[in-house]
Each structure stands twice: as C-alpha cells, then as structure tokens.
Amino acid sequence: MTSPTVLPQDGKKNVLVTSALPYVNNHPHLGNIVGSVLSADVFARFSRLRGNPTLYICGTDEYGTATETKALEDGVTPKELCDKYHALHADVYSWFEIAFDYFGRTTTQQQTEIAQDIFLKLHRNGYLEEKTTVQPYCEQHSSFLADRFVEGECPRCGYDGARGDQCDRCGHLLDPFDLVKPRCKLDGATPVPRETKHVHLLLDKLQPAIEEWSTKASDEGAWSKNGRLITESWLKEGLKDRGITRDLKWGTPVPLPGYEDKVLYVWFDACIGYVSITANLTEHWEKWWRDPDRVKLYQFLGKDNVPFHTVIFPASQMGTGDSWTMLHHLSTTEYLNYESGKFSKSRGIGVFGNNARDTGVPPSVWRYYLLSSRPETGDTQFEWRAFILKNNSELLANLGNFVNRLVKFANAKYDSTVPEYGDDDVDNVEAAGGDVFASFKHDVQQLLGAYVEDLEAVRLRSGLERAMAISSRGNQFLQDNKLDNNLLTTQPGRAAAVVGLGLNLVYLLASLVHPYMPSTARSMTEQLRASLRPIGDTWDARALPAGHRIGKAAYLFSRIDDKKEAEWRQMYGGTQAERLKKEQDAAKKAAKKAKSKTKKVAAAAPATPSSSKDPSSQDPSSEQPSSSSSKEPSQAPVLSTDDLPSPPPNAVAVEKGMGQLNVAD
C-alpha cells in the first residue's frame, strides 16, 4: 500500500474534505452532484491553491437495503450491482472533472475492521444494548423486511410513496409502522409485526456529550444554517436509542455471537466509510482521522443527510473513547428542483449526470450553472432557459469576451508578447485627470479580498459571483480606456499599460475560476503559456512580466441556440423509464424503416450472378459518409510541455490525473 500524495504537515492548515457517499442504485442526478461532490470539489481545489495540505475523499455507499432492493429488481447479486454502479458513478464524476484524491467504496475489508472496532468499543463502554423489537415481516415470501422494503403513506404529509425509514417529500424520519397502509416493496403484501432481537445505540446516554460538542463545533466551524437547525431539532426532541443492526445479508457482519445472520445498519456504518476509504488509500489514515489538533474536517452533503453527520457518527466517535478528527465545518444545501417538480433518483425524474454529457455542452458550463444556482439558503430551480441564458449572457458575453478580446489584441498588435510599460505611463494617465488605473486596481483588490473571504467561509455561490465581477470589471477597464487601434496609435504607452494589466487580470482570473471551471482555467493558462498560480491575498499585477510570450487566442465558450430549450425539455421530460421507452420506440421505428428500405432496394436491383464480388455494387443504404463531410467541433489548442517557456516566478505546477489534482508547493 502506498502513501497518499499529501499528508498533514506541522504549522499548516490541514484540510480533510468529504462529500456524502452516493448510493449505488442509480446514476447521480444534478441535485446530488451540486449538493455534495461538486461543492466539495470547488472547496478542495481552492484549498489546494491556498497552499493547504488537502485530502478529498469520497466513494460509493454499497451496503444496506437500497442495494439489496435494487439488486432484486435488476435480477443480479448485490456485488454485481455495486461493481456496475461504482463504475458508472466514477465515470460521471470524471466527466464533471471532480478531483478526488481517492474515490473508493465501502465493501472492503478495511470497512469491516474499522466499523467492527468502533462497534466493539461502544459495546465495551456501555453504549450498546440488545433489545427485542418488532419489525415488519412479509408472510408472502417469509422474510423480515428492512425499512426501505416497506412503502406507504407518510403520516406527516400524506405522500403515498414514503419509505419505512424516511419520507422523500417532507424529509421526516419514519418507522415502518408509522406508515399508513404499509405494503411490501417486493410483492405488495401487507407486512405483519413480528419480534426479532437487535443491538441499539444508546444515543440518549450520549446526548449531553453531543450537545456540548455540537454547540461549540457549529459555532467555531460556522455550520450552514439548515445543518444547525436540523441538529438542534433532533437534540430538542430528545435523542432515543436506535437499532444499528438489521436482518439482512448484504452488509458488515455484526461481531457478536448469536448475530451471524445480521449486519450493521447502514445508518451506523455509512459515515465510517469516509475513514475506511482513506484507509484503502493509505496505511497512514490515522494521521488524517486521529489528529483533531492538526486537521480540520469539512463535510459536504444535502440536508437530508445532516443527522448522520452531526449526531450518529459523532456519537459513535465519542462513544469509543478514542481521539478522533471530528466535524469542523458542515456545508449543507437545500433542494435543487427540476423545472416544475423535484429531482428523484428513486423515481428517475430530472437530469442525471450521464444526461448532462449527452447534451454535448462542456462540463465547465454545467459546473458554472449548477454552482451559480447552488441551493445554499433555500430551494432553487433547474430550468433549461436559465441554463442557456447563463452560458450566453454570462460566460460567453462576460468572461469569454474579456479573455478573447485581450489575447487576440496582444496576438495581433504585440506579436503575442506582454508589452512593456512603465509607471510613468500610468502616472501620465492619472496626471491627465483620469483615475481609471488606480480605481481599477483598487476594485480588483477589493473583489479579490471578498472572493477569498467567501471561499474560506465556504460561501461558494457568492465566491463565483465575485470572480465574475472581477471579469466584468476587466471589461469595464477596457471600455474606459477605449482599447483599439486608435489608442495604440495615439497613446502607445497607455495602450501597453492597458494590455499588460489586462493580461495579468486574465492570469488572476484563471486561478479564481479554476475551482469552479477547471477546463476553462486550463484553456486560459494555455493561451497565456503560463502555469496556474496560487491564490493569494493580494493581486500581483505584474505576475506575467513584460516580454513574456503568450499563446494564440481560443474561444472559451460557444453560444447555445435558444431552440435547444424546447428540444432538451422534451428530451429530458418525464421519468427515466418514460424516456427509455421513447428511445426504445424510436429505435424500433428506425429499424423497421431501415428494413423496409433495404427490401425496396433489393427488389429494384437487377439480378447478378452469385459469384460477383464487385465492391462497387454495394447496397446504397450502407454507404458511409466521407471524412470530409464530418465536422468535428473546434477545440482549444493544447500545448505540449515542450512548447511552454519557463513559468513566471512563484507559479504553481498543476497536474490533472484520473480523478486527482496535485498542486506542488
């Protein structure tokens, strides 16, 4: 086993980042992506560019009822299902350019060992108790039913599709017998109550410790408001003991005699997955997870996962009596709704990660839209019209225009070189009664300070707005100075200063947009022929020195046709099942049409000897288009490292591997 590329360091801010482990029962939808993995990726990338040793951990949550249910539906084993969906999730996140340090899974020996160790220490310390409980039992197929195998009407909101553990509509946690008109998910039979024994975690005994810790941690770590409120609500209601074992086969075995046919409940061991996934990455996992004095833990998740991260997992950690790195900052989101309804993974409603790729729109545009609509303080809405507008009116018209205008001008007028200009050129402009240079640099510095403050506080949407405001200020600077051929001819010194400062602002923006749009940042640095710089507290307006040669201009974004709104809405309307049926019907129709065409061609063709092999007499329907008739989308030029000059001083080398970003000091 090898060590990770990064370990905590003395005297530095060591940042451990996790995003909620996705279930392996479907593709992730956009609400899942923006609420956890994408948000965590933005913060991890920012933290790395601030020079902090940063480890970003995630993986698929593979044990539990959801997996067994989906495996039964698909007619495969749980292991086969997990293998399939782990690969699908990894593929989607790779396309979205999520830079995990490690994307693992919970079905490992390390998970078994660490979860069982925590369980046994809780047992030894008196925080576990065996209880006989009543569970739903299906007489139709002679089996106890886990909570998710029971569906019915929510007693709180009346939603008929509520599960036995939680209602998807109102988010309330449930017991299977709370449901009105409960039914077995597998065969529709009405379950009956039957006794079974299980181990319970005595959360009530741990409540004083949890209250003391959460009060302090939520204040020091500035938890999201909804995370605080949900945690406080649980504590105010009073914690109750909860069963942490289940009558299932697919899970971590319970390490007690008499429990050979039971497993640990996913509520208990899912968050332990963060630890075990780190242990699969490195034998030095304890340097991250057992060092609360040196490591700050940042966790990103949707609001429906809050209690597991602020009550159950911390209770388990404290109950062991061991020293643990515990939650510092909790970043939780509200719901991202889809058009006029709610995203639902279980019901296949909304746009899923694989659908985003199928649109042909680059990942940077998707990342920008999702993060600019991140539901931080309230629910937000995914709308195709807004998606197109964000691309055309913000990315293309603002950032894309600023970068392209400057680089093209430098290519044409300065032989692709950062022009020389002196302080006298700036002073002469100020002396003439203008303060455009001073106010420009002041405004950029103010916005940069606000950007850093926002990102340090994990205000991701606001940080993105600051970055785009800096780009807007750059466009205004070019307008104020009327950068054109006339300025170059009549005031060459001033023109050089405008271009020199402008190109350095592009260089700053490349670092600022990198956490949000890594491909866009990469194109910007390629055009500047420079390496990504760390994000500092002040703007170095001469980071690209005079004489530095830049590359050729390339478009960062392309306009999306407004007609795509109706096309995409139609394409991704309804549920996944309905969309699949449409695709299958269309495929059958196309096949039938092709078959009919082939028959007509065969009937019209003259009879030929069977020995004829003349390739020129092929069926016209099988003719392939020539290479000259196919049009590939234009791509930004990619420069090899041999083409690049030495980077400017203090530059940071950024390497992007498979799901990994390494930032060298």
Side-chain angles (χ1 to χ4, degrees):
M1 184 180 293
T2 59
S3 296
T5 54
V6 60
L7 287 172
Q9 299 176 30
D10 289 330
K12 289 200 171 185
K13 180 182 178 181
N14 300 294
V15 177
L16 177 58
V17 180
T18 72
S19 54
L21 307 182
Y23 282 132
V24 285
N25 60 349
N26 206 331
H27 287 88
H29 62 62
L30 298 186
N32 302 136
I33 291 169
V34 70
S36 54
V37 295
L38 179 54
S39 295
D41 182 59
V42 172
F43 182 73
R45 287 177 181 272
F46 167 76
S47 182
R48 293 182 187 114
L49 284 181
R50 290 288 283 175
N52 303 324
T54 302
L55 185 72
Y56 177 19
I57 291 294
C58 189
T60 42
D61 181 8
E62 302 187 354
Y63 282 139
T65 311
T67 304
E68 280 200 2
T69 305
K70 182 65 174 174
L72 284 167
E73 290 174 354
D74 291 0
V76 297
T77 67
K79 175 67 166 60
E80 290 170 335
L81 183 89
C82 291
D83 290 344
K84 171 187 173 182
Y85 280 103
H86 175 81
L88 287 175
H89 275 260
D91 181 56
V92 167
Y93 301 142
S94 176
W95 184 82
F96 268 95
E97 300 182 323
I98 308 298
F100 305 111
D101 284 284
Y102 188 62
F103 183 72
R105 51 202 307 183
T106 55
T107 50
T108 65
Q109 183 59 31
Q110 284 85 352
Q111 173 75 7
T112 298
E113 292 173 1
I114 295 171
Q116 288 183 345
D117 179 65
I118 292 173
F119 179 93
L120 290 172
K121 285 174 178 175
L122 288 168
H123 187 265
R124 188 183 312 129
N125 294 339
Y127 294 115
L128 300 183
E129 184 176 300
E130 180 181 286
K131 292 191 175 185
T132 299
T133 60
V134 176
Q135 269 191 244
Y137 185 85
C138 181
E139 296 177 319
Q140 186 78 16
H141 68 275
S142 303
S143 176
F144 281 102
L145 297 176
D147 295 351
R148 281 175 171 257
F149 278 94
V150 184
E151 293 183 339
E153 183 182 315
C154 175
R156 288 267 182 128
C157 69
Y159 177 52
D160 188 52
R163 302 187 308 266
D165 62 343
Q166 190 171 17
C167 175
D168 274 343
R169 176 173 289 174
C170 68
H172 190 68
L173 296 176
L174 299 168
D175 183 274
F177 294 112
D178 292 337
L179 295 173
V180 179
K181 298 178 182 177
R183 58 187 178 272
C184 173
K185 182 179 177 67
L186 300 180
D187 51 36
T190 302
V192 297
R194 184 171 292 190
E195 287 188 347
T196 182
K197 66 176 183 178
H198 282 293
V199 175
H200 283 230
L201 174 62
L202 304 180
L203 290 172
D204 49 339
K205 287 181 68 174
L206 287 159
Q207 177 155 352
I210 296 169
E211 283 185 317
E212 181 181 353
W213 165 78
S214 65
T215 300
K216 182 180 179 183
S218 61
D219 184 53
E220 291 181 352
W223 293 6
S224 298
K225 183 179 179 181
N226 56 2
R228 286 181 186 237
L229 292 175
I230 292 169
T231 304
E232 289 169 0
S233 174
W234 266 55
L235 294 171
K236 184 177 180 181
E237 190 175 328
L239 299 181
K240 302 174 181 63
D241 61 271
R242 286 188 173 268
I244 58 170
T245 60
R246 281 295 181 268
D247 292 292
L248 294 172
K249 295 181 176 64
W250 186 245
T252 302
V254 179
L256 289 178
Y259 281 79
E260 290 78 10
D261 295 329
K262 301 177 192 289
V263 299
L264 296 180
Y265 192 20
V266 69
W267 272 21
F268 174 74
D269 75 346
C271 288
I272 298 172
Y274 299 127
V275 185
S276 73
I277 289 170
T278 310
N280 273 278
L281 171 66
T282 172
E283 60 188 350
H284 303 297
W285 64 271
E286 290 182 317
K287 293 185 182 226
W288 283 107
W289 285 100
R290 302 279 190 140
D291 196 347
D293 295 329
R294 289 202 307 165
V295 177
K296 297 293 185 185
L297 173 59
Y298 289 73
Q299 298 196 286
F300 293 78
L301 48 134
K303 66 180 180 181
D304 50 343
N305 279 321
V306 167
F308 308 120
H309 294 75
T310 65
V311 176
I312 295 173
F313 183 47
S316 301
Q317 289 177 301
M318 288 186 282
T320 64
D322 294 335
S323 178
W324 283 96
T325 299
M326 297 183 67
L327 173 63
H328 169 66
H329 177 82
L330 177 71
S331 181
T332 53
T333 55
E334 300 289 338
Y335 292 126
L336 175 68
N337 295 318
Y338 178 64
E339 293 283 344
S340 58
K342 181 180 175 183
F343 277 99
S344 174
K345 190 160 67 168
S346 61
R347 289 163 180 81
I349 296 173
V351 181
F352 289 70
N354 54 315
N355 302 141
R357 174 168 46 193
D358 294 342
T359 63
V361 177
S364 277
V365 177
W366 280 100
R367 288 173 64 110
Y368 178 81
Y369 175 76
L370 291 173
L371 290 161
S372 65
S373 307
R374 186 173 185 257
E376 294 181 349
T377 56
D379 292 354
T380 57
Q381 187 102 328
F382 176 91
E383 294 176 330
W384 287 111
R385 179 177 297 178
F387 176 73
I388 294 171
L389 192 64
K390 288 274 187 184
N391 177 81
N392 295 347
S393 300
E394 296 179 18
L395 290 177
L396 186 61
N398 180 358
L399 181 61
N401 176 67
F402 175 63
V403 174
N404 192 254
R405 182 178 176 187
L406 266 171
V407 177
K408 269 189 173 179
F409 196 87
N411 287 160
K413 308 302 179 183
Y414 294 100
D415 191 26
S416 300
T417 302
V418 178
E420 290 194 29
Y421 71 93
D423 292 333
D424 289 343
D425 296 312
V426 176
D427 293 340
N428 290 338
V429 174
E430 306 298 342
D435 62 350
V436 289
F437 284 83
S439 63
F440 169 63
K441 289 190 283 189
H442 174 269
D443 291 349
V444 170
Q445 182 57 54
Q446 291 294 108
L447 287 166
L448 173 60
Y451 169 94
V452 171
E453 184 179 326
D454 281 336
L455 269 291
E456 290 285 3
V458 201
R459 294 190 292 266
L460 305 184
R461 194 170 68 188
S462 179
L464 181 55
E465 290 169 358
R466 307 284 190 189
M468 293 301 286
I470 291 175
S471 177
S472 294
R473 188 63 183 88
N475 277 308
Q476 182 188 339
F477 177 64
L478 300 186
Q479 292 300 110
D480 290 343
N481 285 280
K482 299 185 170 100
L483 179 64
D484 57 15
N485 289 332
N486 181 61
L487 183 71
L488 183 65
T489 303
T490 58
Q491 300 182 65
R494 179 172 184 171
V498 171
V499 173
L501 284 170
L503 288 173
N504 271 285
L505 188 66
V506 172
Y507 199 15
L508 171 68
L509 279 167
S511 294
L512 302 187
V513 304
H514 168 79
Y516 297 95
M517 297 177 285
S519 285
T520 300
R522 186 161 57 251
S523 178
M524 292 165 72
T525 54
E526 284 171 354
Q527 291 178 59
L528 296 176
R529 296 172 72 93
S531 300
L532 203 63
R533 284 175 60 83
I535 297 175
D537 293 326
T538 57
W539 177 37
D540 180 359
R542 291 185 183 268
L544 283 179
H548 173 79
R549 290 193 62 80
I550 66 172
K552 296 301 181 185
Y555 292 114
L556 295 179
F557 309 102
S558 300
R559 187 180 182 280
I560 298 175
D561 194 321
D562 291 337
K563 294 177 182 176
K564 285 289 184 181
E565 177 190 347
E567 178 185 327
W568 286 333
R569 183 177 289 114
Q570 172 68 23
M571 187 179 297
Y572 300 112
T575 66
Q576 277 184 315
E578 290 168 345
R579 294 200 293 268
L580 180 60
K581 188 175 185 304
K582 283 182 184 177
E583 291 172 7
Q584 291 171 339
D585 290 345
K588 288 178 182 177
K589 187 175 180 180
K592 186 176 180 181
K593 186 176 180 181
K595 187 176 180 181
S596 175
K597 183 179 179 182
T598 302
K599 286 181 177 179
K600 287 179 181 178
V601 171
T608 57
S610 60
S611 60
S612 173
K613 298 286 185 179
D614 183 1
S616 65
S617 62
Q618 293 177 2
D619 181 344
S621 66
S622 66
E623 185 176 327
Q624 297 298 315
S626 66
S627 59
S628 62
S629 67
S630 62
K631 293 184 179 180
E632 294 292 335
S634 60
Q635 298 291 327
V638 178
L639 305 177
S640 73
T641 53
D642 295 333
D643 296 328
L644 292 175
S646 299
N650 303 319
V652 171
V654 177
E655 302 168 14
K656 189 176 186 306
M658 283 299 294
Q660 182 166 343
L661 176 77
N662 296 319
V663 182
D665 290 331

